[in-house]
Amino acid sequence: MDDLLQDYRDYLHDQDKSEQTIKAYMTDLTSFSRWFQQITGEPLNLENVTPMEIIDYRNALLNWGKKPSTINRSLISISSFCQWAQQHDLIPSNPAEGIRSVAEEPLAPRALERKEQLALLRAVRRSENLRDLTIITMLLHTGMRVSELCNLRVSDIIISTNSNMITVREGKGTKRRNIPLNSTVISVLKDYLKALSSNEQVALITGPSPDKEQFLFYGQKRMPLTDRGVRYIIQKYAYNAKIDNLSPHVFRHTCAKNLIDAGQPIDRVAKILGHSNINTTSVYTIPTERDLHITMESISWE
């Protein structure tokens, strides 16, 4: 079975799936394989898997208190694996085909409330670290993914009387897009770029050949900032601001929620975030618990 999973992993790589997606698929399939062996006493063999085993596994995940989104992702992983096996004549049919997913009430992605955003910015400003302030401000006001932020070059920034924007060279799915900059980002970026141009040590660092251009952000040892470096920066200030479980993606959700709450059309928000399907963006229109609480308080007699 291990050899089969490795072949499937190679297939996912060939399909240009992201490392995060591949890791999720492998984790789901490994969990299913372990459960199958515990229940049957035999190693997982796709030829012995029927729809009933997959239904039993779905029910087991429910009994373990797994979230519907986690269970449905596992079902998708199993079905995709079986479909691949069927296409390669390893099994006659896909036993996961037609298995019903678990119904779930859509939830709004976690986003920072206004007071949390302000608390975080206060914590960064107290540090007097212009690089960190620029990073946090850009994440909040552009909705960029952390990988997109780390790959930015100085030449990707355009600040002029005619146009103010950032060019994301390779977003998700290698899509290129431009993100307009508001006055808050422009103000911080101008100060940061001025400081960056005066730093001779940093100016010597260039990107890999043939794209020899100066990166926008640098980490330790004067090397371009990494995803891990950004996460460390965020966690440091989140701790100071007393904000729990803050990840780079929460900033993306926060930017999208701020735009929706400001009354911006969803198609424009989708364009800024780089969503090819507007249905993906519609999740930000789902009310949060706080939104619902405010709604109910609006008719309170107290």
Side-chain angles (χ1 to χ4, degrees):
M1 190 62 187
D2 290 342
D3 291 340
L4 200 59
L5 287 176
Q6 183 58 54
D7 290 342
Y8 183 58
R9 181 194 292 269
D10 293 340
Y11 165 77
L12 294 176
H13 275 294
D14 292 341
Q15 295 298 305
D16 202 25
K17 299 292 185 182
S18 69
E19 287 297 331
Q20 185 176 1
T21 297
I22 295 174
K23 182 179 179 181
Y25 274 45
M26 292 299 109
T27 299
D28 292 338
L29 293 173
T30 300
S31 297
F32 176 62
S33 178
R34 289 173 179 169
W35 172 86
F36 185 89
Q37 185 163 4
Q38 289 175 354
I39 295 300
T40 65
E42 300 176 357
L44 176 63
N45 185 333
L46 283 183
E47 294 180 351
N48 297 331
V49 176
T50 69
M52 187 56 66
E53 276 80 31
I54 298 176
I55 292 173
D56 287 346
Y57 182 61
R58 180 195 64 188
N59 294 339
L61 292 175
L62 277 170
N63 292 333
W64 296 338
K66 297 296 183 181
K67 296 179 180 179
S69 58
T70 300
I71 298 173
N72 292 336
R73 191 197 69 185
S74 295
L75 293 176
I76 291 172
S77 298
I78 295 169
S79 182
S80 297
F81 179 49
C82 291
Q83 184 178 15
W84 168 82
Q86 181 186 6
Q87 291 172 348
H88 288 75
D89 297 325
L90 300 175
I91 51 177
S93 61
N94 180 356
E97 187 175 2
I99 301 295
R100 285 190 302 173
S101 58
V102 178
E104 58 180 319
E105 182 179 349
L107 298 174
R110 187 195 168 204
L112 292 173
E113 295 182 11
R114 182 74 172 176
K115 63 180 182 180
E116 291 178 313
Q117 297 175 50
L118 295 176
L120 186 65
L121 286 171
R122 284 196 298 269
V124 181
R125 288 196 177 100
R126 282 196 296 268
S127 73
E128 298 184 349
N129 188 314
L130 187 54
R131 181 205 63 176
D132 294 355
L133 178 61
T134 306
I135 289 171
I136 298 298
T137 302
M138 287 181 65
L139 287 174
L140 280 174
H141 288 266
T142 66
M144 298 180 69
R145 300 177 179 90
V146 64
S147 58
E148 296 171 345
L149 181 89
C150 293
N151 287 328
L152 283 176
R153 310 309 204 268
V154 172
S155 61
D156 295 330
I157 311 298
I158 299 175
I159 299 178
S160 67
T161 55
N162 298 323
S163 179
N164 299 296
M165 66 176 57
I166 290 177
T167 298
V168 176
R169 304 185 185 203
E170 290 191 7
K172 190 174 182 180
T174 67
K175 291 182 293 187
R176 187 185 185 97
R177 74 182 189 281
N178 293 324
I179 303 176
L181 302 177
N182 63 25
S183 56
T184 300
V185 179
I186 292 171
S187 177
V188 175
L189 260 177
K190 281 183 176 179
D191 291 340
Y192 176 71
L193 289 172
K194 183 178 179 181
L196 187 66
S197 63
S198 63
N199 190 333
E200 295 181 358
Q201 289 183 322
V202 169
L204 293 175
I205 305 296
T206 59
S209 180
D211 195 15
K212 290 186 178 298
E213 298 179 68
Q214 185 180 348
F215 280 81
L216 185 60
F217 297 114
Y218 293 90
Q220 294 181 345
K221 300 179 182 179
R222 295 179 295 166
M223 296 300 292
L225 192 62
T226 63
D227 291 21
R228 184 176 181 181
V230 175
R231 292 177 188 277
Y232 173 79
I233 291 169
I234 290 173
Q235 289 170 2
K236 177 175 65 174
Y237 294 113
Y239 176 81
N240 294 337
K242 296 180 173 56
I243 300 174
D244 296 327
N245 303 319
L246 185 56
S247 69
H249 220 61
V250 172
F251 286 84
R252 182 169 165 85
H253 297 326
T254 301
C255 178
K257 187 71 164 58
N258 287 344
L259 290 170
I260 293 293
D261 288 349
Q264 297 305 315
I266 194 171
D267 58 332
R268 297 183 185 181
V269 178
K271 192 75 173 176
I272 289 171
L273 296 178
H275 290 163
S276 56
N277 189 335
I278 201 170
N279 290 331
T280 304
T281 317
S282 65
V283 69
Y284 298 109
T285 65
I286 299 174
T288 63
E289 268 190 41
R290 179 171 175 77
D291 293 332
L292 297 177
H293 181 75
I294 292 173
T295 298
M296 295 306 295
E297 278 297 320
S298 69
I299 61 171
S300 172
W301 289 351
E302 299 297 329

